[in-house]
Amino acid sequence: MPVTILAIESSCDETSAAVCRDGIILSNIIAGQPVHEQWGGVVPELASRAHLQNIVPVIDAAIKAGITATDGGGLSAIDAVAFTQSPGLIGSLLVGTQFAKSLALALNKPLIAVHHMQAHVLANLIDDPKPQFPFLCLTVSGGHTQIVVCESPQRMSVIGESIDDAAGEAFDKSAKLLGLPYHGGPLIDKYAKDGNPGRFRFPEPQIPGLDFSFSGVKTSILYFLQNAGTSLVYKEEFMATEDERKLFIENNLADICASIQQRIVSILLNKLTKAALQTGIKDVCIAGGVSANSGLRKSFQEAGKKNGWNTFIPAFQYCTDNAGMIAITGYYKYLAGQFSDLSVSATARAEW
Ligand code: KG4
Ligand code: ZN
């Protein structure tokens, strides 16, 4: 009998629903929340309200696109309901969690709680070719930067992570310093395409082991801009006027973006290379919103060629937040019999 999973993702500012049958994604609908643009970042209260507005139409669209088209089964074809339980914004998570529980109860079908960061890793199991276990995954999102050893869909461990900001935060905060609107990460990517990445050299943090740090890079970018490009450290005498700063950014935007991107990417890939050497693992993946970054994708492929890795990157629609990755994780949990009861609740933070 085929196994059909309906999955719901609502951890931050994307409402998404997907249908997966036997590990094949049949639909993956994602609704963004433009309401946050005017505030320059995600406003948790507004995110919860937008999820409430979006969730029914998004799930309806995912079911129509995924199930009705293939077997006319509608809701009755669903074997289990998977949802993002953690981590994320609690008000946002509660909307998806409550909807999933209600639907599972109404359909009398099992409920599957999914960890959002594990799902980012398993997005690499959606399309062919798939990595072989054990594989390494660099997961880079707005809230996390982790190097994960994945031994099976159920067994994963974090062997390195950021001790301060996540890589996505480093992109977004740099974009904010440049006066770019939210979501800044993709805009840095866009402007970097026309820039010289070697023009400005931001410092590489010296963090032992496989952990990352991005706060020093962020501070050096702040001083660099405050000083209109004359220094990477705080120097009162170099402080530029607001107009001088704006003019400097305007005249050098592409080179600044390319230089910021190149530093963030090199921090990520140096640690990933170290992790691959230490573990001896040759199947290496990237995942999470920042894996949509064109500079990271290109440099990751080049590092793979140089080091003899088999490299894997999810399709764009499975890099940033999406329910397709919740569905594939739910599918493997279904096969392993890992279900939750109806008393399960959302949690903002959770161990693996
Ligand atoms: O995985 P994700 O969609 O959400 C979280 O789980 O956090 O990641 C969102 C992050 C944001 O910081 C966003 O700016 C970043 O991914 N991002 C990018 C790009 N696309 C998304 N950063 C750099 N370049 C991109 N093309
Ligand atoms: Zn995410």
Side-chain angles (χ1 to χ4, degrees), residues 222-241:
L222 171 72
Y223 292 154
F224 170 79
L225 295 175
Q226 279 179 344
N227 300 332
T230 48
S231 170
L232 291 172
V233 292
Y234 180 78
K235 282 199 181 150
E236 190 84 47
E237 62 270 29
F238 288 148
M239 284 288 264
T241 64

Side-chain angles (χ1 to χ4, degrees), residues 324-346:
M325 67 186 195
I326 307 302
I328 195 81
T329 309
Y331 171 66
Y332 285 106
K333 287 192 120 178
Y334 183 97
L335 296 182
Q338 294 180 330
F339 302 115
S340 294
D341 66 37
L342 288 170
S343 67
V344 67
S345 188

Side-chain angles (χ1 to χ4, degrees), residues 87-134:
L89 301 172
I90 191 65
S92 293
L93 289 164
L94 283 169
V95 176
T97 301
Q98 192 53 32
F99 195 97
K101 287 168 70 168
S102 307
L103 191 60
L105 178 69
L107 297 175
N108 194 25
K109 296 292 178 187
L111 189 62
I112 302 172
V114 171
H115 191 291
H116 181 88
M117 296 312 295
Q118 293 187 342
H120 270 306
V121 173
L122 296 187
N124 280 288
L125 299 185
I126 292 176
D127 291 323
D128 286 325
K130 298 178 177 52
Q132 300 289 308
F133 297 108

Side-chain angles (χ1 to χ4, degrees), residues 116 120 141-143 168 171-172 183 185-186 189 288-290 292-293 319-321:
H116 181 88
H120 270 306
S141 72
F171 270 108
D172 293 343
H183 271 295
D189 189 356
V290 180
N293 180 269
C319 287
T320 46
D321 286 349

Side-chain angles (χ1 to χ4, degrees), residues 55-107:
I55 197 155
V56 172
V58 163
I59 290 175
D60 189 42
I63 290 170
K64 284 189 174 128
I67 300 178
T68 321
T70 52
D71 65 3
L75 278 173
S76 61
I78 293 167
D79 294 301
V81 182
F83 68 99
T84 306
Q85 182 195 12
S86 63
L89 301 172
I90 191 65
S92 293
L93 289 164
L94 283 169
V95 176
T97 301
Q98 192 53 32
F99 195 97
K101 287 168 70 168
S102 307
L103 191 60
L105 178 69
L107 297 175

